[in-house]
Amino acid sequence: MNNSPSELKMLIDRKQIAATVKKLAEEIRRDYDGLNPLAVGILKGSFVFLADLVRAIEIPMQVDFVKLSSYGSGTRSAGRITVLLDLNCSLEGRHVLVVEDIVDTGLTTSFLCNYLKQKSPASVRLCSLTSKPSRRVVDIKIDYLGLEVPDKFLVGYGLDCAEKYRNLPDICEFQEE
Ligand code: PRP
């Protein structure tokens, strides 16, 4: 982004993001062709990645969103996550692809995948653009992973700092001044 504030340090630029999205979309297209998958984005962070990803997948599919309660990663526990906005379609027999911007502790995606599996889908898989493996507290399999990232405060491409910077086209490290 032009005129980036000094608190932002480029980590993954838009070119690298685009190449990563393309690679993930090719894998997903290969695996889901003919299955009419349902991509489920977790609001809000996934919205930019999901928009780019589904346009690159280029097979018939559907898109929906969920929103989960958030207490901030530090204080979140699996038992305290609740669904604020649920899907409004049946998952019975559907191939569901959860789409996430980042897997940090893994609590959000672990909760959601288990929640969706109770709705009799044919399959539930997880695609995440980024992952911070050093922060994991629950074991979660990421079926389609873009990039592993360091344990830094990241913003941009959907990721925020107090709701700022979600619209940055690049992923940057937020450095407190
Ligand atoms: C972020 C991110 C993931 C989650 C990952 O969402 O978008 O959904 O945290 O963290 P975890 O692996 O430790 O559970 P956040 O709760 O900040 O809400 P947002 O998507 O609205 O930004």
Side-chain angles (χ1 to χ4, degrees), residues 27-45:
E27 288 174 29
I28 293 165
R29 178 168 58 230
R30 184 196 60 213
D31 292 351
Y32 285 88
D33 195 10
L35 297 179
N36 187 29
L38 174 68
V40 175
I42 307 177
L43 293 171
K44 299 177 188 174

Side-chain angles (χ1 to χ4, degrees), residues 1-8 10 14 165 168-170 172:
M1 190 180 185
N2 293 331
N3 304 316
S4 293
S6 58
E7 63 193 13
L8 300 182
M10 175 78 75
R14 63 199 76 184
Y165 298 130
L168 287 179
D170 310 298
C172 298

Side-chain angles (χ1 to χ4, degrees), residues 78 103-111 135-140:
V103 177
D104 191 327
T105 63
L107 290 169
T108 302
T109 43
S110 171
F111 169 86
R135 293 262 308 155
R136 209 71 95 244
V137 302
V138 287
D139 206 16
I140 178 94

Side-chain angles (χ1 to χ4, degrees), residues 3 11 44 63 68 70 76 83 106 108 112 117 124 129 137:
N3 304 316
L11 190 70
K44 299 177 188 174
V63 178
L68 305 175
S70 171
R76 205 182 249 172
V83 180
T108 302
L112 185 66
K117 280 175 188 164
V124 176
L129 178 64
V137 302

Side-chain angles (χ1 to χ4, degrees), residues 42-50 100-101 156-160 166:
I42 307 177
L43 293 171
K44 299 177 188 174
S46 72
F47 80 104
V48 180
F49 172 48
L50 183 134
E100 185 58 295
D101 52 339
Y157 202 70
L159 293 155
D160 75 309
R166 289 196 198 273

